[in-house]
Amino acid sequence: MDNTISDIYTRQQELLQKDFKEESALVIGLGGIGSWIALNLALLGVGTLVLVDPDTIEASNLNRTLYKLNDIGSKKTEAIKDLISERRQNTIVLTIDDYFSSDMLDKYSVDYIFDCTDNLNTRDKLKGSSFQGNYVKCGYDGYSATISTNDFES
């Protein structure tokens, strides 16, 4: 099994121009966008992830996420943590089963925030905070996707 784990990363190590193991990210909202972003950040090698979502998995989540049938009823944070832990054993994954609040930034110092919520509450809470990293707002309404970086006004 140890050989399999090291083989998982061989191609990626040859392709990546940057080592992300010292980077950290906060992913807020683990639905149709956030669940994929969290997993892919781990697969890129981001060293520490903080996952924030108060919800449990419902059957209606399965059409746009990587959750499985047997995950229904589980916390979204724990299901993603389990998947990440299987693929990236060295990634530190912290979970918060609650809504985002700006005081979390005092407890968790991160380089990136990925706001994958379906509203602007998180952006508004960050607008007046002391956060100095990169903020990315991601959205999808079923027809078109949006992404903005460090935009607290529009």
Side-chain angles (χ1 to χ4, degrees), residues 3-12 43 86-88:
N3 195 29
T4 302
I5 295 300
S6 64
D7 288 347
I8 289 174
Y9 311 121
T10 303
R11 182 169 187 259
Q12 182 177 1
L43 293 175
E86 176 186 286
R87 300 287 177 88
R88 285 288 187 181

Side-chain angles (χ1 to χ4, degrees), residues 32-47:
I33 295 176
S35 59
W36 294 100
I37 286 178
L39 176 62
N40 281 296
L41 287 170
L43 293 175
L44 279 171
V46 172

Side-chain angles (χ1 to χ4, degrees), residues 26 28 100-102 105 113-115 120-131 134-136 152:
L26 178 72
I28 306 166
F100 173 78
S101 63
S102 55
L105 298 175
I113 294 177
F114 291 86
D115 178 359
L120 296 176
N121 293 338
T122 300
R123 183 195 73 171
D124 293 342
K125 290 175 185 175
L126 288 170
K127 188 175 183 179
S129 77
S130 60
F131 176 67
N134 291 294
Y135 168 71
V136 181
F152 294 98

